[in-house]
Amino acid sequence: MKKIDHIGIAVKDLEASNKLFASLLNTPCYKIEDVSEQQVSTSFFKTADQKIELVAATSPSSPITKFIAKKGEGIHHIAFEVDDIHSEIIRLKGEGFVPLSEEPSKGADNKWVVFFHPKTTNGVLIELCQEIR
Ligand code: ZN
């Protein structure tokens, strides 16, 4: 894995949180994007080399709705940038980590993404992401 690409934060109200994080980070979000597959709306902030992704549900059946109901707003996942997402999935499965899907899907910010179940990673949802080239 190359580096932390971003930290994902689950929020209830994307518009309100965009204002809050713009004020906190002293920079506006540079992208707002819906990911229909995950039933979420996302926004991205740059902080030097890393990014913050705010994630809000767009439907009651979104994974984010369930996450916030269970744990409240807060850190949802840590995303690592990888060069070859397919070989990383194979490597991590070989180490006993459990992916939430067998194949990467198209995530926000022009990335292939795959998530690994928090039960195998000390309670932290892990995302791998690879730039779509
Ligand atoms: Zn993410």
Side-chain angles (χ1 to χ4, degrees):
M1 300 201 196
K2 289 166 75 179
K3 60 165 186 156
I4 291 178
D5 180 80
H6 64 271
I7 293 172
I9 298 174
V11 303
K12 287 181 187 167
D13 180 340
L14 194 64
E15 207 180 311
S17 296
N18 280 342
K19 284 186 193 140
L20 188 148
F21 273 82
S23 155
L24 176 75
L25 301 170
N26 199 22
T27 184
C29 82
Y30 68 92
K31 183 188 278 193
I32 295 176
E33 190 178 344
D34 282 0
V35 183
S36 54
E37 199 168 315
Q38 303 278 336
Q39 301 171 53
V40 295
S41 188
T42 66
S43 62
F44 284 86
F45 294 82
K46 273 202 176 85
T47 55
D49 231 15
Q50 285 80 31
K51 290 169 275 181
I52 297 289
E53 175 188 25
L54 303 183
V55 196
T58 54
S59 124
S61 56
S62 165
I64 295 298
T65 308
K66 291 169 201 156
F67 178 89
I68 288 177
K70 209 168 144 189
K71 298 192 168 178
E73 294 180 297
I75 293 182
H76 177 256
H77 63 271
I78 297 178
F80 294 93
E81 184 185 339
V82 297
D83 279 328
D84 182 345
I85 199 165
H86 288 98
S87 68
E88 277 299 313
I89 292 171
I90 291 165
R91 184 182 75 80
L92 290 177
K93 278 170 74 176
E95 298 286 343
F97 299 103
V98 177
L100 296 188
S101 60
E102 291 301 314
E103 289 295 320
S105 60
K106 238 179 174 173
D109 207 27
N110 191 43
K111 297 275 206 299
W112 293 114
V113 301
V114 70
F115 290 92
F116 281 81
H117 201 291
K119 77 180 176 195
T120 58
T121 54
N122 287 123
V124 181
L125 180 64
I126 300 292
E127 175 186 335
L128 304 185
C129 58
Q130 180 191 331
E131 190 100 44
I132 297 175
R133 290 179 278 256

